[in-house]
Amino acid sequence: MIFDAIDRKLLHLLQTDSKQTNKALSMQLNLSVTAVYERIRKLEKSGIVKQYVALVDKSKIQKDFVAFCHVKLVQHSQDYVVMFEREVKQLNEVLECYHLSGDYDYLLKVLVKDMTAFREFMVEKLTKIDHIGSTHSMFMINEVKHTTAISLM
């Protein structure tokens, strides 16, 4: 897909507030409402815009205990990797999971209510997944930067 400066500005505006009307976007982009609609459809059809979501304030729903867990598998076979990834996707507490190079195989971002809930998650869910050799957890002290917007400039 050909990507021009207007597409970049449109994506920036959508990442800032995706609930803006096409009319509001058209005024900011100096385009017609129809042109904005067509550009948005093009971005959606090409998969650049995957979905629209609401960003929830985790402290207001009493889920603001953030932990990062390193996970090391006992073996790096394809079967173990596939099984681990399939099972970790089922854990609602895991917001993000990355397969890494280095000392540990995976990094998980876990969100729960408090330390008690984290312990329960570790004991009752994560460590019950087969083929985990070891884990190492770290806890967030302060969120310095958090964004979902991807820079397009």
Side-chain angles (χ1 to χ4, degrees):
M1 179 183 141
I2 308 277
F3 215 59
D4 64 15
I6 294 172
D7 290 322
R8 280 193 269 289
K9 186 167 184 185
L10 175 56
L11 281 170
H12 171 75
L13 293 168
L14 288 172
Q15 287 185 100
T16 303
D17 179 7
S18 66
K19 287 188 75 172
Q20 294 181 72
T21 64
N22 287 351
K23 181 173 178 150
L25 291 166
S26 73
M27 290 170 46
Q28 294 174 75
L29 296 168
N30 295 320
L31 294 175
S32 70
V33 173
T34 303
V36 168
Y37 173 80
E38 289 172 357
R39 282 180 180 263
I40 291 172
R41 290 287 299 145
K42 181 178 73 170
L43 293 168
E44 292 169 345
K45 280 188 162 197
S46 68
I48 292 171
V49 173
K50 292 176 14 178
Q51 69 186 65
Y52 298 92
V53 299
L55 299 177
V56 177
D57 183 337
K58 60 187 172 288
S59 66
K60 295 198 173 159
I61 59 165
Q62 290 78 46
K63 286 210 173 181
D64 55 352
F65 189 87
V66 179
F68 295 93
C69 302
H70 285 120
V71 175
K72 188 181 291 189
L73 300 180
V74 292
Q75 195 177 70
H76 299 106
S77 71
Q78 182 178 357
D79 289 343
Y80 286 12
V81 167
V82 169
M83 283 189 283
F84 174 79
E85 290 179 5
R86 182 176 41 237
E87 291 188 46
V88 82
K89 286 177 185 176
Q90 303 305 311
L91 302 175
N92 293 328
E93 296 88 349
V94 176
L95 297 181
E96 300 171 37
C97 175
Y98 301 98
H99 194 176
L100 305 172
S101 63
D103 291 339
Y104 287 89
D105 300 313
Y106 291 91
L107 175 64
L108 310 181
K109 182 178 180 182
V110 178
L111 183 66
V112 292
K113 180 180 179 181
D114 53 23
M115 179 61 86
T116 302
F118 179 72
R119 183 182 186 288
E120 182 178 321
F121 164 77
M122 289 297 289
V123 171
E124 298 297 324
K125 293 184 179 180
L126 186 63
T127 57
K128 287 194 174 178
I129 296 176
D130 289 336
H131 316 302
I132 290 180
S134 64
T135 63
H136 175 82
S137 299
M138 300 164 287
F139 309 106
M140 180 186 76
I141 295 171
N142 183 38
E143 187 173 86
V144 177
K145 179 179 180 180
H146 177 258
T147 184
T148 60
I150 299 172
S151 175
L152 302 163
M153 304 304 159

